[in-house]
Amino acid sequence: MKKLFVTAAVAATLFSATAAQAADYVIDTKGAHAFVNFKIKHLGYSWLHGRFNTFDGEFSYDAKNPNASTIMVNIDTKSIDSNHAERDKHLRGGDFLNVDKFPKASFKSTSIKFDDDGDEADVTGEFTLHGVTKTITFEIDKIGEGKDPWGGYRVGFEGETSLKLADYGIDYNLGPASTHVDIGLYIEGVRK
């Protein structure tokens, strides 16, 4: 089941004994409890893994109306990190992300539909990468929620999707096994 990066960061649930309330969350990048990862096949023989080190975002969730939830994530494409400096320089250049021209990638939801249990949702929204915006839909899973030791309230989600690079104007030939990149978003939100 394909799930997305850029939005596993969605949704949160706040329950009280008498009534549910709407809640807004900020993605916990300060505490490094959120990740935007990627992987792509290398020549069809192995996986190349990496991440984006700098991103931010927020989401909201209304327990009375969970399908009114929203999520927004911004990614600094210059922060790509594949654990190899020369490769990262190439990935930042014109053959791939062209970060001087397109320094940001982003996702903004347009609809979220939760299942009856509230543990999974289909998230649809506008994803922009390399100057191209496309509507994508992906599934997310809720990991958990509750109070933290510092008096706050947190909720976590994960999701992942596969993107065809050519759909976003990235047409560098990496071979037939490397036309798609899998993006994963693993987020923990802190209630505002």
Side-chain angles (χ1 to χ4, degrees), residues 79-154:
S79 73
I80 194 167
D81 182 353
S82 69
N83 198 34
H84 189 277
E86 284 302 308
R87 179 174 48 231
D88 292 344
K89 183 178 177 183
H90 189 202
L91 293 174
R92 291 183 187 109
D95 288 336
F96 292 100
L97 295 176
N98 197 358
V99 300
D100 289 336
K101 187 173 182 182
F102 307 111
K104 299 287 179 192
S106 65
F107 178 81
K108 185 174 183 180
S109 64
T110 55
S111 74
I112 297 177
K113 294 186 180 0
F114 276 86
D115 65 8
D116 291 340
D117 294 330
D119 294 330
E120 296 180 351
D122 289 329
V123 179
T124 300
E126 302 298 313
F127 181 61
T128 301
L129 175 69
H130 200 248
V132 177
T133 300
K134 291 197 166 288
T135 300
I136 62 172
T137 299
F138 60 93
E139 294 179 352
I140 62 161
D141 293 319
K142 179 179 169 187
I143 305 303
E145 69 173 304
K147 293 180 180 179
D148 64 28
W150 309 280
Y153 195 89
R154 295 172 182 257

Side-chain angles (χ1 to χ4, degrees), residues 20-185:
Q21 303 174 11
D24 293 323
Y25 292 78
V26 75
I27 296 173
D28 185 11
T29 55
K30 286 184 181 179
H33 295 117
F35 306 90
V36 177
N37 297 340
F38 67 88
K39 68 178 184 176
I40 188 169
K41 284 189 177 175
H42 181 249
L43 305 175
Y45 306 135
S46 64
W47 288 100
L48 167 72
H49 289 261
R51 65 185 186 185
F52 291 92
N53 292 326
T54 305
F55 63 96
D56 61 38
E58 55 189 39
F59 57 92
S60 67
Y61 180 85
D62 184 340
K64 288 185 176 179
N65 186 9
N67 293 336
S69 300
T70 62
I71 180 171
M72 183 266 316
V73 178
N74 295 304
I75 301 167
D76 178 355
T77 58
K78 290 180 183 179
S79 73
I80 194 167
D81 182 353
S82 69
N83 198 34
H84 189 277
E86 284 302 308
R87 179 174 48 231
D88 292 344
K89 183 178 177 183
H90 189 202
L91 293 174
R92 291 183 187 109
D95 288 336
F96 292 100
L97 295 176
N98 197 358
V99 300
D100 289 336
K101 187 173 182 182
F102 307 111
K104 299 287 179 192
S106 65
F107 178 81
K108 185 174 183 180
S109 64
T110 55
S111 74
I112 297 177
K113 294 186 180 0
F114 276 86
D115 65 8
D116 291 340
D117 294 330
D119 294 330
E120 296 180 351
D122 289 329
V123 179
T124 300
E126 302 298 313
F127 181 61
T128 301
L129 175 69
H130 200 248
V132 177
T133 300
K134 291 197 166 288
T135 300
I136 62 172
T137 299
F138 60 93
E139 294 179 352
I140 62 161
D141 293 319
K142 179 179 169 187
I143 305 303
E145 69 173 304
K147 293 180 180 179
D148 64 28
W150 309 280
Y153 195 89
R154 295 172 182 257
V155 63
F157 292 86
E158 69 177 1
E160 154 180 322
T161 193
S162 182
L163 303 174
K164 185 175 181 180
L165 293 173
D167 287 348
Y168 293 89
I170 302 171
D171 55 9
Y172 189 83
N173 185 1
L174 294 169
S178 305
T179 59
H180 290 69
V181 61
D182 294 342
I183 306 283
L185 178 66

